[in-house]
Amino acid sequence: MKKILFLLLVFLLPIGPLSFAKDRTDNLISLITLSRETATREKITAMLGAPGKIEETKKKIWWHYQRDNTTLVICWNKKTALFENFSFTSKPAEKSTFDSRISAKLHSGSTSIQQAITLLGTPIDMKIKEATQEMHYAYQNSVLRLFFRDRVLVDYTLLGATGK
């Protein structure tokens, strides 16, 4: 039964690199929901395909995926073969103005990463570690920074004019 559920999961997950789909939020949410123990190399390869570049050091392995304006780097612990963290960057085609009504929908202590991505869309960058997570959204004259602990929003800040 477990094998059937695993195969069903693999077929239901979007296949292909994050940037192949027009809206990457579904693929990004699928990647975020994997825990350190469930994020195996096989699952990541099934979701994203083979990495474009692999870097190795004595203790870590980095898988690099890049397509158009999207870059994803996944870090693996070489000794344990477990997922350590990933970083994601994406350059938006155009920057919109920040809608202050959005901040009313973000609730510290209850908003999850999945809810934030569903509400705000694909961030310009993201860093996911086991305990802490951080995302940034670029707007015309500001940047929204969201900080999560154990995938639940701790705080968020709208940083003023970026000078550009």
Side-chain angles (χ1 to χ4, degrees):
M1 184 66 174
K2 285 185 178 183
K3 289 180 183 180
I4 293 171
L5 288 175
F6 178 73
L7 286 173
L8 183 61
L9 176 67
V10 169
F11 287 116
L12 290 177
L13 291 174
I15 297 175
L18 290 174
S19 60
F20 283 167
K22 227 175 188 145
D23 183 12
R24 295 177 297 270
T25 57
D26 291 339
N27 289 356
L28 194 55
I29 289 172
S30 295
L31 188 59
I32 289 169
T33 58
L34 295 175
S35 70
R36 184 174 186 202
E37 291 76 25
T38 62
T40 65
R41 294 177 189 197
E42 293 78 20
K43 281 186 184 179
I44 298 296
T45 303
M47 287 174 61
L48 307 173
K53 178 180 170 187
I54 297 175
E55 290 182 66
E56 289 190 45
T57 64
K58 191 174 185 178
K59 296 182 180 183
K60 300 182 190 241
I61 299 172
W62 289 274
W63 286 8
H64 296 265
Y65 293 89
Q66 184 155 4
R67 179 74 174 196
D68 300 327
N69 61 351
T70 303
T71 303
L72 172 68
V73 178
I74 300 173
C75 180
W76 301 95
N77 182 308
K78 209 170 183 179
K79 185 176 182 179
T80 63
L82 290 175
F83 163 84
E84 280 200 358
N85 63 63
F86 81 83
S87 62
F88 169 85
T89 56
S90 178
K91 294 181 178 90
E94 60 182 63
K95 294 180 184 177
S96 61
T97 56
F98 180 72
D99 183 354
S100 59
R101 294 175 291 180
I102 291 174
S103 61
K105 296 178 182 178
L106 296 171
H107 302 286
S108 295
S110 64
T111 302
S112 70
I113 289 181
Q114 295 89 334
Q115 292 168 327
I117 290 174
T118 301
L119 177 67
L120 300 168
T122 304
I124 60 165
D125 66 37
M126 173 186 298
K127 181 72 172 179
I128 302 291
K129 296 180 181 178
E130 185 62 23
T132 61
Q133 304 80 38
E134 188 172 341
M135 298 188 316
H136 295 93
Y137 290 87
Y139 296 97
Q140 283 181 353
N141 294 317
S142 58
V143 173
L144 178 63
R145 175 198 167 270
L146 292 95
F147 180 76
F148 298 83
R149 184 168 291 113
D150 296 322
R151 292 170 168 66
V152 176
L153 184 65
V154 173
D155 72 3
Y156 61 93
T157 306
L158 184 64
L159 304 171
T162 59
K164 293 187 180 181

